[in-house]
Amino acid sequence: MSNKLPDSILRYANMISSAQQFYNEAAACRAQAERCSNQADRDSWMRLAKEWAELALAAERGQIFRR
């Protein structure tokens, strides 16, 4: 019996792993924004957080894969 997982399961695992990493990056950006006293800096960090969250959603939908 082979211990190798089917390719479809591996692709799914990669999607979830990528999405989780992207969500982690978004959370880190939000945390950085909370520490900023300058509104422009806060806004920039929040824009980055939004971009990371959008990447996470795309990864969940299988539209992108990290290598």
Side-chain angles (χ1 to χ4, degrees):
M1 178 182 265
S2 173
N3 288 334
K4 185 177 178 192
L5 295 172
D7 288 341
S8 60
I9 292 175
L10 292 174
R11 282 193 302 275
Y12 178 76
N14 285 336
M15 281 189 315
I16 297 304
S17 174
S18 294
Q20 186 57 55
Q21 182 59 40
F22 296 152
Y23 281 125
N24 291 345
E25 295 292 343
C29 289
R30 285 190 297 275
Q32 187 64 34
E34 290 176 10
R35 291 190 288 273
C36 289
S37 59
N38 179 289
Q39 184 64 44
D41 290 344
R42 238 186 339 269
D43 292 345
S44 294
W45 281 110
M46 290 306 292
R47 277 193 303 276
L48 284 172
K50 183 179 180 224
E51 292 292 326
W52 280 114
E54 288 174 4
L55 283 170
L57 290 172
E60 286 179 341
R61 291 189 298 262
Q63 295 173 328
I64 60 171
F65 292 101
R66 248 185 36 188
R67 296 204 185 264

